[in-house]
Amino acid sequence: MAALIRNLRSGISLSNPSLVPPPLVTSCRGIVSKLFVGGLSFYTTDKILAESFSQFGQVVEAKVVMDRVSDRSKGFGFVTFASEDEAYRAVTEMNGKTLNGRIVFVDYAKPRLGEKLGMPIARGPPEPKVDDN
C-alpha cells in the first residue's frame, strides 16, 4: 500500500499497467471483484454458491465460511469474480434474492486490516537480555 501511495504522489498513473507491480494490481483488483454474501443457509456449500453466482460471469473462487469447532456454516461466504463488471452485475442482481430458501445480502468485500502486512504478533514483553561479561 505504501508503494501505491508513493507512486500516486510521484505522479505515476495507474492507467498504465506496465508501471504498476503485478501484485499491487492483483490485490487492488481482488478487493473490487470479491463479494461478501451474507444470510446463507447452513446447507449452502461452496459448490452451490459458485453455481448460483456463475450466471453473472467467471467465478474464480466461492467459499462458505465454516465454524472450526462445529464444522457448520457461519451463514456467510465470499465469491471472487474474474472482473469488476461481473462482480457489479452479481451485486445488483443477487442482493435481496433467495438462495437455498434464504434471502441473501450481497456487497463488495472489505479488506481485512492488519492481516498479512508483515506485522509481528505480540506475545508479551520481550525477554530480558543477559550479558555474558
Side-chain angles (χ1 to χ4, degrees), residues 42-77:
F42 292 129
Y43 304 106
T44 303
T45 62
D46 295 348
K47 184 178 178 182
I48 293 171
L49 191 61
E51 288 172 357
S52 301
F53 280 84
S54 65
Q55 61 185 323
F56 304 107
Q58 181 186 356
V59 174
V60 176
E61 180 185 32
K63 187 75 177 156
V64 175
V65 177
M66 305 296 278
D67 184 83
R68 291 181 187 165
V69 177
S70 67
D71 201 34
R72 282 184 49 176
S73 166
K74 286 190 171 186
F76 68 93

Side-chain angles (χ1 to χ4, degrees), residues 9 33 94:
R9 285 185 183 156
S33 64
M94 282 297 288

